[in-house]
């Protein structure tokens, strides 16, 4: 009988989903906040290594729905900015979901909430 040699290399499995450091990010902004203003920065961390911990942020599930055009997130830094100017007639409170997705195969994601309150 011959012998068989096996070479097994262990790669980091993508077994941790990104986790936000807060479940809800609340921010209050004056109604005259300028377009492009920085609002808040979210932060998720992932315990995996390499691309499995490389996180990309996105916003989804906006309420009211037109908030989709009002806020944007920088996908690498997690910085949320105001995209348009605020209108007095609009809602005083905006809610959205923030997702953090790693680049594992398959990717895993974590979720948080962002609440923006417009104050006088
Ligand atoms: C995110 O949180 C981690 C762990 O608390 C920290 O090490 C890291 O510097 C934070 N990143 C940002 C961009 O604040
Ligand atoms: C979460 O991370 C953000 C961005 O780095 C930071 O501003 C905030 O203070 C952190 N929150 C906690 C509870 O550490």
């Amino acid at each position: 009988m011959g012998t068989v040699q096996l070479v097994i290399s262990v790669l980091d499995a993508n077994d941790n989903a990104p986790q936000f450091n807060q479940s809800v990010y609340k921010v209050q902004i004056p109604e005259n906040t300028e377009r492009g203003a920085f609002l808040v920065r979210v932060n998720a961390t992932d315990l995996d290594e390499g691309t499995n911990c490389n996180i990309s942020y996105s916003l989804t599930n906006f309420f009211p729905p037109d908030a989709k055009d009002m806020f944007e997130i920088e996908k690498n830094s997690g910085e949320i900015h105001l995209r348009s100017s605020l209108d007095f007639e609009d809602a005083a409170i905006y809610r959205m979901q923030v997702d953090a997705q790693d680049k594992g195969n398959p990717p895993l994601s974590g979720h948080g909430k962002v609440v923006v309150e417009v104050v006088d």
Side-chain angles (χ1 to χ4, degrees):
M1 270 196 121
T3 55
V4 177
Q5 206 178 31
L6 284 179
V7 179
I8 299 174
S9 58
V10 179
L11 296 172
D12 179 49
N14 188 24
D15 39 25
N16 294 288
Q19 252 192 329
F20 283 97
N21 67 340
Q22 295 176 218
S23 53
V24 183
Y25 296 86
K26 278 190 185 166
V27 55
Q28 289 193 326
I29 56 171
E31 62 190 4
N32 62 357
T33 302
E34 282 178 24
R35 177 201 303 231
F38 166 78
L39 303 183
V40 67
R41 179 178 202 153
V42 301
N43 183 5
T45 48
D46 189 309
L47 300 174
D48 288 308
E49 289 169 14
T51 55
N52 291 343
C53 72
N54 200 327
I55 289 172
S56 170
Y57 297 99
S58 58
L59 295 175
T60 178
N61 288 343
F62 296 88
F63 186 85
D66 60 358
K68 186 180 193 304
D69 302 319
M70 298 177 61
F71 303 98
E72 63 188 352
I73 193 164
E74 209 283 302
K75 67 180 168 63
N76 297 313
S77 69
E79 282 187 13
I80 297 175
H81 289 264
L82 187 63
R83 201 169 148 183
S84 61
S85 42
L86 295 164
D87 190 322
F88 301 127
E89 305 298 315
D90 285 346
I93 195 153
Y94 298 93
R95 298 168 198 276
M96 62 213 86
Q97 179 181 320
V98 59
D99 290 343
Q101 188 174 77
D102 64 28
K103 297 189 173 65
N105 185 19
L108 294 175
S109 49
H111 313 286
K113 286 182 183 145
V114 178
V115 178
V116 179
E117 195 182 344
V118 182
V119 295
D120 278 321

